[in-house]
Amino acid sequence: MKIDVKTIRELAENIEKYNLQEVTVESEGAKVTLKREIAAAETVYVNAAPAASMPASAPKTATPAAEKVEESYEAITSPMMGTFYRAPTPDSPDFVKEGQEVKQGDTLCIVEAMKLMNEIKASRDGKIVKILLEDGAPVVKGDQLFLID
């Protein structure tokens, strides 16, 4: 077996798929070890903390109304744990903007996982209603990235 980028990508996908902590492959004198980043999983707790600190005076009707509006749109979610990037490089324009029409297969963002840049593509034609994350935000598998109409 030859160790190339495709092999490494497949290993990374298997780490996610089977919830593994570490995978090591050795072939023809080359050795590759992939480890799951535990620090990114901790962000779930960090992101949850601000929600608990919301003031009690916040209108209770605002949250259900917002949820109903957001439920009418399809969410595009992260297929893996990593870091969310809106553009291919820091000085490049974002792949998409709110209100932009996209076609199936258009690149919406990048999720970096274990130094591999994974393009997240539109699964259907539609309009980007809302971008839910800031550039550089940590994500876990299943986090919502965009709302599409």
Side-chain angles (χ1 to χ4, degrees):
M1 171 177 81
K2 182 178 175 186
I3 299 178
D4 56 11
V5 175
K6 181 181 175 190
T7 303
I8 294 170
R9 186 178 306 263
E10 288 171 357
L11 289 171
E13 289 170 0
N14 283 329
I15 284 177
E16 288 295 320
K17 182 177 180 181
Y18 297 111
N19 200 23
L20 303 173
Q21 295 302 315
E22 182 176 325
V23 173
T24 302
V25 174
E26 225 174 307
S27 177
E28 300 174 9
K31 182 176 179 179
V32 175
T33 300
L34 300 178
K35 295 181 183 180
R36 178 184 296 271
E37 289 182 15
I38 296 174
E42 293 172 4
T43 60
V44 172
Y45 301 107
V46 174
N47 289 340
S53 65
M54 283 180 39
S57 63
K60 297 192 183 241
T61 57
T63 302
E67 287 175 5
K68 287 180 183 174
V69 170
E70 289 184 5
E71 286 176 5
S72 65
Y73 301 114
E74 180 182 333
I76 296 174
T77 59
S78 178
M80 64 192 66
M81 177 174 44
T83 305
F84 171 83
Y85 292 111
R86 290 182 171 189
T89 63
D91 54 344
S92 297
D94 292 351
F95 287 109
V96 294
K97 299 193 181 321
E98 289 183 0
Q100 181 177 335
E101 294 286 332
V102 295
K103 299 281 184 199
Q104 181 177 359
D106 286 354
T107 300
L108 303 176
C109 67
I110 291 175
V111 174
E112 176 189 4
M114 296 187 289
K115 305 296 181 199
L116 293 175
M117 302 300 176
N118 301 283
E119 291 184 347
I120 308 303
K121 298 186 181 284
S123 57
R124 65 176 179 87
D125 294 356
K127 178 177 164 185
I128 299 298
V129 176
K130 188 168 186 176
I131 301 173
L132 300 171
L133 297 173
E134 293 299 318
D135 195 49
V139 295
V140 294
K141 184 176 182 176
D143 279 358
Q144 293 184 354
L145 307 174
F146 301 91
L147 294 179
I148 188 169
D149 185 16

